[in-house]
Amino acid sequence: MQPKISIQGVYYTYGDGTEALRNVSFDVLPHEVFVLFGPARSGKTTLLRLLNRLSDLTDDATLRGVITFNGASISGRSVDVFDLRRRISMVFAVPTPLPGSIRFNLTYGLQMAGMRDRRVLAERVEQSLQQAALWDEVKDRLDSSAMALSGGQKQRLCLARSLALEPEVILLDNPTSGLDPLSTNMVEEMLHDLSQRYTIIMVPHSVQQAARVADRAAFMLDGELIEVAKGERLFLHPQDQRTEDYITGRFG
Amino acid sequence: MTTAPTTPPDSRSRRRGEAAIELLIWLAGVSAIAIVALIFFFLLREGINTFLDIPLRQLFGVRWYPIEDQFGLMPLLVGTFLVTIGAVVIAVPLGVVAAIYLGEIAPLWLREILKPLIEILAGIPSIVLGFLGWVALAPIIQNLGAPTGLTAFTGSLLLAYMSLPTIISISEDALYAVPKEYRDGSLAIGATQWQTIWRVVLPAARSGLVIAVMLGIGRVIGETMAVLMVTGNAANIPNFGLSMFFSPVRTMTATIAAEMGEVAQGSLHYSVLFGIGLILFLITFTVNWLATRLVGVEGARRQRGGRL
Amino acid sequence: MSRQRSQRLAVALITAVAVLVFVPVIAIIGYLIVSGIGALNWEFLTAMPRNGMKEGGIMPAIVGTLILTMGTALVSMPVSLLAAIYLAEYARDNRLTRTIRMAIVNLAGIPSIVYGLFGLGAFVLAAGFGTSIIAGSLTLGIMTMPVVISTAEEAINSVPQQFRTVSLSLGASKWQTIRHQVLPHALPGILTGMILGLSRAAGETAPILFTVAAFYVPTLPSSIFDQTMALPYHLYVISTQVPGMPLTIQYGTALVLLLITLTLTLLATGVRTTMRRRRDW
Amino acid sequence: MQNKIEVSDFSFYYGDFQALNNLNIPIRARQITALIGPSGCGKSTFLRCLNRMNDTIPGARADGRVLLDGENIYEADVDVVTLRQRIGMVFQRPNPFPQSIYDNVAYGPRILGMARRGSLDQMVQESLEAASLWGEVRHRLKDPALALNPGQQQRLCIARAIAVQPEVILMDEPCSALDPVATLRVEDLMRQLVDSYTIVIVTHNMQQAARASDWTGFFWLGRLVEFGPTEAIFSSPQQELTEAYITGRRG
């Protein structure tokens, strides 16, 4: 099977010389929930932002190595980075609706891509809200401010906003960090269904969460990839001592 | 090996309109440099003869009699210096302390009233303040015993209030920029509010306060109309002593404003007035350079933003 | 002295100084209003000056100031806004950017009379516009640029970074992001800076002395290459250059000028507070 | 067992918003009391009520009593400045002053006029020792405090608080900005300090509360849902809400 995303020998260095990523290589397969976990500042979020080139926003950083998406490099000059970001969409740690109505949030990306057809837009709004299990809660107030939603609703709106683009890959950067347990459960339960249609790469909130949702998982430490394996195997029988220390350590 | 480009390379090819807009944006950004260069160029072009035709010894002499082609700048420099010193001595303590009052002591509701008041003061045209100095303040000063009401001190007093908005708003920004954590840390140990201000807040805000003072000075040196109206316009050097401040003087800016209307274009007098402008331009440069040395260009720019 | 007593003393002294700062401001405004209000009537605002300006109104000066303010806006606003966008969104931390910033800081510090000299040398003489509305507007416009650029850039920077990140992550281009996510939210701040810049331009005298201002012209300007009267210069003229000028006309002129600039200042702060209150982030 | 602080019928308001609702909490002397609950539940607000740091917030109002050694700290004639000296505080983010390490610790004794020059060195050393930082900084006391790493900065702030010889130390999520190793050191330090001080700590980290405290109170929407010995709270919570929170948050 061709990997959806392949990362080969990636080094990522900031202008001041700090190495955020060192020789990271792994593949992400279609329709799996792939979890990147590890302690703070181990490079997970940095890696995630490389995949849809939000890393372009960082001045003076250098990328070495190859990242491919459907077999083609994402770094070349000929790559349409805006199209790439629509196909590899991202949900952030802090729920960040754009100021404006719920509908505005959901149609923004499509409109920027030149989609004008109102019927299609309306369809996508409903579809994506359904998929993010938010439709019933907001269907009567699509034109009210997205800022008025609760934290959990905001995050599901952000997820729906990504889904509305019909991406191939969804990047989830610790999406439940600000959520209460109930909303966290909702998001976690959604993941499996979503992976039927999309490929999901997620930075989890905790090791426990990683273990609950991962098809496959990778443990990162200080910018290096320590170990990749099927979720069950990695969490029950880690091969590397450092992985085991982290999983069983006092700090979850 | 590839490097991540910061500007998405495809944006240009994909959207021509955007490329045009981005070019305009770039041009507008660069225009700031062009304008400074142009200002310098025109001042130099019209004023260069000052420095070519007049011996330096004479240029910095004590006699300013344009009718006799005597262009000694010393009286104007002294006048500017006196007015500036006076204004700074009045404005700096008032401004910094008022900022402390606003930032640390005034209750919220009062702050909401006083801060617009500062913007209002900043919004009063200098000609209006000059007019008030001329019709209302000068007679008061004269009644206090000065031979005339139109003195360096009158100018200083007006300029002090004119520079207060600059000094207060920048000082206040500097105080505001001191993290609340420092105040909490001090109060939590049992320090009084005054101890906290004096020992933690003011030292932490030091560089910002210095900028406030320097830019206040810059504002004072550059002011024209008010000083033209109230300092008496006497281009001579008063006798040394405290009474200097209560003598009529004339500043560099006022000289340009008063005499440019009457000179023949291309005459030496005309050049000298531009030469004075060039000197003022260079003073500005120096003040800003010093300020930038202290807080970096970012800081200086932010502080300038507070200036209205 | 006990700590509590030094605290009380310090607060008392600081408050006293604050009184010294703020009371004169109120006094100045109050005094001008009381002294000038008597002169304000319909004729004063709408009639031409008569009898060596000692009678009649100040209409041409008011109109001149309004024209110059609009001219300033046309010159300064588009360039300033674009420059602010450049600095906030495009400029990287390099030598060019630092030079631009340094240039803006310097522009802000250049004395207004020096702008007047520059306007004389560049627009009146070199460009051949003569003493004219266009020369004055260009001079005032350039003079207001640094204030407008700084406030606009600050307004743009105050738009939370995550809105940009989100917009880009949804596939919007950089300019689309600026156009749809940044500028709308920065608008109150940008407007505030623009109006404040105009309020400053409306009250300036030194830059228009040699570039546009006329001592007295009996007609309104008919083209941008005409001279015009303007309130600040008119106030200067009637208070220092014309002997025997009635005080009420002087106070009235000062009050009208003050009202124009203060209206703009208050408008600016009004825009800022109402639009700030309306935003929900 | 003696109560150092006794909170009774205490409510607190920001303007019209009631942030704390009728709290009754005993704080035992020379023990560690941990306050847990979701963010926004009022635990930090409550902590800042104990040394009246909330007085600096405009529009804030307190109702009810907080007894420190039997005396209500919200009486009109209480000197807040002296109160804050008796009840020290350590904040969420390390907040050393932008001064030297030495000056940071000496700050309190100096402003309170507690030490002549000779004994000041002594006090600084003792405080740094008590905060188990002395060994790391003894040769660089004149270095700027901001050059220390976050964990050291936080222990410096603890030393600064100790230097004025308080009776109670309030800690507002003191480890939230620290890495695991630094967190452990601060927790060890708390266990040492509790021999001489009464400690109240607010934390969002349940393991930390379980590891480090003797008593635990669970806050929810400005109310105290449950209070008791830490072991009991974590092993057999009486309230459903507490249990849901402790087990539900799993992370």
Side-chain angles (χ1 to χ4, degrees):
Chain A
M1 186 163 31
Q2 187 196 31
K4 194 77 192 168
I5 286 180
S6 170
I7 295 159
Q8 297 304 329
V10 161
Y11 289 77
Y12 192 65
T13 315
Y14 290 117
D16 63 2
T18 17
E19 284 192 318
L21 297 172
R22 274 197 307 278
N23 196 18
V24 173
S25 304
F26 63 88
D27 289 344
V28 179
L29 305 175
H31 302 293
E32 69 174 343
V33 178
F34 189 92
V35 166
L36 277 170
F37 73 105
R41 286 182 290 278
S42 55
K44 302 162 295 188
T45 300
T46 308
L47 182 55
L48 226 48
R49 291 168 69 100
L50 274 173
L51 298 183
N52 66 352
R53 287 193 41 192
L54 274 181
S55 53
D56 288 3
L57 303 183
T58 316
D59 281 352
D60 295 336
T62 319
L63 170 71
R64 284 191 293 147
V66 180
I67 301 175
T68 62
F69 171 53
N70 291 337
S73 167
I74 64 163
S75 323
R77 292 225 138 224
S78 58
V79 174
D80 181 341
V81 65
F82 307 117
D83 187 55
L84 177 78
R85 289 183 187 143
R86 277 191 287 273
R87 292 161 70 187
I88 305 182
S89 192
M90 183 150 182
V91 176
F92 301 89
V94 183
T96 42
L98 298 170
S101 68
I102 294 170
R103 191 193 307 278
F104 170 81
N105 268 277
L106 293 167
T107 55
Y108 179 77
L110 291 167
Q111 285 183 331
M112 293 301 110
M115 167 70 71
R116 295 273 177 275
D117 190 332
R118 284 167 166 272
R119 208 173 38 85
V120 176
L121 290 175
E123 239 166 51
R124 292 281 185 93
V125 167
E126 174 165 357
Q127 234 170 41
S128 59
L129 284 172
Q130 296 274 20
Q131 283 183 46
L134 192 60
W135 175 249
D136 293 335
E137 289 162 60
V138 303
K139 64 179 179 215
D140 299 324
R141 47 172 176 146
L142 291 176
D143 291 307
S144 61
S145 170
M147 295 294 175
L149 296 174
S150 75
Q153 289 174 324
K154 276 184 188 164
Q155 194 60 305
R156 277 178 285 145
L157 175 71
C158 291
L159 182 59
R161 186 173 62 189
S162 285
L163 298 175
L165 297 171
E166 300 195 329
E168 294 170 47
V169 179
I170 303 174
L171 309 175
L172 298 167
D173 183 7
N174 194 356
T176 64
S177 69
L179 303 190
D180 59 86
L182 200 69
S183 308
T184 302
N185 277 343
M186 284 189 80
V187 172
E188 284 181 15
E189 278 161 20
M190 225 175 275
L191 289 180
H192 187 68
D193 292 342
L194 290 174
S195 70
Q196 307 295 314
R197 304 186 50 172
Y198 310 99
T199 303
I200 293 175
I201 306 178
M202 172 171 175
V203 170
H205 179 59
S206 60
V207 179
Q208 289 86 338
Q209 186 176 56
R212 284 194 298 271
V213 302
D215 291 327
R216 287 197 311 142
F219 175 61
M220 294 193 66
L221 186 66
D222 285 337
E224 284 184 76
L225 187 81
I226 305 299
E227 193 172 353
V228 193
K230 287 243 183 227
E232 225 161 279
R233 215 212 66 209
L234 187 69
F235 292 106
L236 294 179
H237 312 289
Q239 302 294 302
D240 193 293
Q241 187 60 42
R242 288 168 291 181
T243 317
E244 181 166 351
D245 285 351
Y246 183 75
I247 293 173
T248 58
R250 297 168 73 185
F251 295 94
Chain B
M1 181 170 124
T2 55
T3 43
T6 18
T7 324
D10 44 342
S11 72
R12 292 212 178 89
S13 58
R14 223 166 60 124
R15 295 192 174 84
R16 266 168 208 286
E18 285 188 14
I21 287 167
E22 292 184 341
L23 179 68
L24 273 181
I25 288 173
W26 184 83
L27 281 175
V30 177
S31 74
I33 301 177
I35 290 172
V36 173
L38 277 177
I39 292 176
F40 183 69
F41 168 76
F42 277 104
L43 291 176
L44 198 64
R45 189 173 91 154
E46 306 290 326
I48 189 72
N49 284 343
T50 314
F51 306 96
L52 299 179
D53 294 357
I54 306 176
L56 270 191
R57 173 180 293 271
Q58 206 195 331
L59 191 60
F60 288 97
V62 296
R63 288 164 57 82
W64 175 266
Y65 293 126
I67 303 168
E68 299 171 15
D69 272 357
Q70 294 271 355
F71 297 106
L73 295 181
M74 212 33 104
L76 314 182
L77 291 169
V78 170
T80 301
F81 181 75
L82 285 179
V83 174
T84 304
I85 287 291
V88 168
V89 166
I90 299 167
V92 166
L94 286 186
V96 173
V97 173
I100 293 176
Y101 180 76
L102 281 178
E104 310 282 330
I105 290 174
L108 202 60
W109 63 268
L110 190 57
R111 212 177 303 172
E112 302 278 310
I113 299 173
L114 295 182
K115 287 182 80 162
L117 214 54
I118 297 175
E119 295 194 25
I120 286 176
L121 178 59
I124 302 178
S126 68
I127 189 78
V128 171
L129 280 179
F131 167 72
L132 282 178
W134 164 265
V135 296
L137 183 60
I140 297 176
I141 303 259
Q142 191 166 15
N143 285 342
L144 291 178
T148 162
L150 302 175
T151 66
F153 175 74
T154 320
S156 297
L157 203 55
L158 280 187
L159 289 188
Y161 275 88
M162 254 181 242
S163 61
L164 276 178
T166 310
I167 298 181
I168 293 176
S169 62
I170 300 174
S171 302
E172 218 206 331
D173 284 353
L175 295 176
Y176 186 77
V178 175
K180 185 173 183 307
E181 283 84 8
Y182 293 169
R183 294 181 180 82
D184 282 355
S186 174
L187 291 176
I189 287 169
T192 63
Q193 190 187 19
W194 170 241
Q195 285 175 319
T196 304
I197 294 171
W198 183 246
R199 287 171 177 261
V200 176
V201 178
L202 285 180
R206 197 173 41 217
S207 70
L209 295 178
V210 173
I211 297 296
V213 172
M214 293 186 54
L215 296 186
I217 294 174
R219 176 107 166 80
V220 168
I221 293 178
E223 182 44 52
T224 310
M225 296 318 286
V227 287
L228 174 61
M229 293 178 80
V230 303
T231 55
N233 264 325
N236 49 36
I237 303 176
N239 292 326
F240 189 79
L242 200 60
S243 65
M244 289 191 298
F245 291 101
F246 298 95
S247 317
V249 296
R250 164 186 270 199
T251 64
M252 294 192 280
T253 50
T255 305
I256 302 175
E259 298 180 8
M260 184 54 92
E262 298 151 18
V263 300
Q265 188 200 326
S267 67
L268 186 57
H269 190 182
Y270 170 90
S271 283
V272 172
L273 294 182
F274 270 93
I276 296 174
L278 194 59
I279 293 174
L280 286 168
F281 181 83
L282 294 176
I283 290 177
T284 310
F285 242 85
T286 316
V287 169
N288 284 326
W289 182 75
L290 285 175
T292 334
R293 289 262 91 171
L294 281 168
V295 290
V297 72
E298 256 310 293
R301 183 193 59 81
R302 250 202 317 279
Q303 312 288 18
R304 275 291 191 202
R307 189 193 129 144
L308 304 175
Chain C
M1 193 160 48
S2 82
R3 303 197 302 128
Q4 277 75 4
R5 277 190 45 203
S6 67
Q7 157 77 9
R8 275 196 292 274
L9 186 69
V11 169
L13 277 174
I14 293 171
T15 311
V17 169
V19 169
L20 220 55
V21 167
F22 292 108
V23 167
V25 181
I26 301 169
I28 289 170
I29 309 275
Y31 176 75
L32 258 184
I33 292 177
V34 170
S35 313
I37 198 86
L40 297 198
N41 55 44
W42 188 245
E43 192 204 357
F44 187 68
L45 297 175
T46 57
M48 303 295 285
R50 286 195 312 272
N51 186 18
M53 300 191 276
K54 292 187 183 109
E55 287 171 31
I58 54 168
M59 188 266 279
I62 297 177
V63 171
T65 285
L66 295 181
I67 292 174
L68 282 176
T69 308
M70 274 188 286
T72 305
L74 286 177
V75 172
S76 163
M77 302 305 134
V79 185
S80 302
L81 178 58
L82 290 178
I85 294 175
Y86 177 76
L87 286 173
E89 301 288 334
Y90 287 90
R92 304 178 61 183
D93 186 19
N94 57 24
R95 182 180 292 257
L96 176 69
T97 307
R98 279 193 295 275
T99 314
I100 292 176
R101 291 196 187 289
M102 195 66 214
I104 291 172
V105 170
N106 274 308
L107 283 177
I110 292 176
S112 53
I113 188 75
V114 175
Y115 278 103
L117 290 178
F118 166 64
L120 172 63
F123 305 126
V124 176
L125 301 177
F129 294 142
T131 317
S132 61
I133 290 173
I134 183 168
S137 300
L138 284 166
T139 309
L140 285 172
I142 287 176
M143 193 195 75
T144 52
M145 274 179 59
V147 183
V148 183
I149 293 176
S150 295
T151 39
E153 191 196 346
E154 210 169 285
I156 293 173
N157 279 333
S158 75
V159 176
Q161 187 59 38
Q162 71 247 30
F163 295 164
R164 296 179 182 81
T165 315
V166 166
S167 175
L168 289 173
S169 82
L170 294 171
S173 74
K174 183 155 188 161
W175 171 248
Q176 282 180 322
T177 300
I178 295 170
R179 167 76 188 70
H180 295 279
Q181 282 308 319
V182 178
L183 291 185
H185 302 311
L187 194 62
I190 293 171
L191 278 180
T192 305
M194 287 182 171
I195 302 172
L196 279 178
L198 289 185
S199 133
R200 190 172 155 212
E204 277 289 352
T205 319
I208 61 173
L209 273 179
F210 331 125
T211 54
V212 51
F215 188 83
Y216 175 70
V217 276
T219 53
L220 290 180
S222 58
S223 92
I224 58 169
F225 296 102
D226 283 354
Q227 288 193 22
T228 178
M229 295 175 75
L231 276 173
Y233 183 60
H234 187 64
L235 177 59
Y236 172 65
V237 165
I238 61 175
S239 55
T240 62
Q241 313 283 303
V242 184
M245 182 58 85
L247 263 180
T248 49
I249 291 194
Q250 299 182 27
Y251 277 114
T253 308
L255 183 58
V256 171
L257 176 58
L258 184 73
L259 289 179
I260 290 178
T261 58
L262 283 195
T263 307
L264 287 172
T265 306
L266 294 178
L267 186 66
T269 43
V271 166
R272 188 170 52 200
T273 37
T274 49
M275 295 188 76
R276 228 177 237 172
R277 209 169 288 147
R278 264 184 22 206
R279 78 181 177 201
D280 54 359
W281 40 270
Chain D
M1 205 178 317
Q2 187 200 343
N3 289 343
K4 182 70 184 172
I5 298 176
E6 180 87 48
V7 179
S8 56
D9 302 330
F10 186 80
S11 297
F12 188 79
Y13 306 81
Y14 295 115
D16 295 335
F17 172 69
Q18 182 165 14
L20 299 175
N21 198 330
N22 200 32
L23 302 175
N24 289 285
I25 306 175
I27 304 220
R28 307 290 202 277
R30 289 165 208 260
Q31 304 249 308
I32 299 177
T33 305
L35 307 175
I36 60 172
S39 44
C41 69
K43 54 193 195 299
S44 286
T45 302
F46 172 69
L47 197 70
R48 295 170 71 93
C49 284
L50 294 182
N51 65 346
R52 293 188 54 181
M53 279 302 278
N54 281 335
D55 284 15
T56 57
I57 301 170
R61 185 163 56 83
D63 196 24
R65 291 183 304 162
V66 176
L67 304 178
L68 173 65
D69 290 336
E71 298 199 19
N72 186 7
I73 66 169
Y74 277 89
E75 288 297 331
D77 60 345
V78 168
D79 178 22
V80 185
V81 168
T82 315
L83 170 74
R84 292 191 188 132
Q85 177 198 339
R86 292 176 64 191
I87 305 186
M89 187 161 202
V90 176
F91 298 84
Q92 189 166 5
R93 285 222 315 263
N95 61 347
F97 304 132
Q99 299 166 357
S100 71
I101 295 170
Y102 183 94
D103 287 342
N104 263 279
V105 184
Y107 180 80
R110 275 181 180 148
I111 57 161
L112 296 168
M114 283 167 65
R116 309 244 169 274
R117 180 153 284 289
S119 63
L120 194 58
D121 291 353
Q122 181 81 23
M123 294 179 90
V124 169
Q125 178 174 349
E126 279 169 11
S127 306
L128 285 169
E129 277 169 353
S132 54
L133 191 61
W134 176 248
E136 292 158 63
V137 302
R138 57 185 302 179
H139 297 302
R140 43 193 284 222
L141 291 175
K142 296 292 168 205
D143 285 7
L146 295 173
L148 297 172
N149 68 40
Q152 292 171 322
Q153 285 187 14
Q154 194 62 301
R155 278 179 285 141
L156 179 66
C157 292
I158 293 173
R160 188 176 65 186
I162 294 172
V164 296
Q165 297 164 3
E167 299 156 36
V168 182
I169 302 177
L170 310 176
M171 298 185 164
D172 187 1
E173 302 197 17
C175 302
S176 64
L178 306 185
D179 63 57
V181 178
T183 300
L184 270 189
R185 295 207 59 170
V186 172
E187 285 177 18
D188 287 344
L189 176 58
M190 280 163 49
R191 299 269 27 141
Q192 291 166 28
L193 291 174
V194 78
D195 291 339
S196 355
Y197 303 94
T198 303
I199 295 177
V200 186
I201 176 173
V202 159
T203 176
H204 65 271
N205 180 334
M206 238 127 5
Q207 286 99 323
Q208 182 169 63
R211 277 194 304 267
S213 72
D214 306 302
W215 299 83
T216 297
F218 171 59
F219 276 67
W220 181 269
L221 298 176
R223 291 172 194 276
L224 182 72
V225 175
E226 191 165 356
F227 185 86
T230 298
E231 262 191 52
I233 293 277
F234 280 92
S235 57
S236 51
Q238 302 298 305
Q239 302 289 326
E240 214 172 304
L241 210 51
T242 317
E243 184 169 4
Y245 183 72
I246 293 173
T247 56
R249 187 70 177 246
R250 288 175 293 191

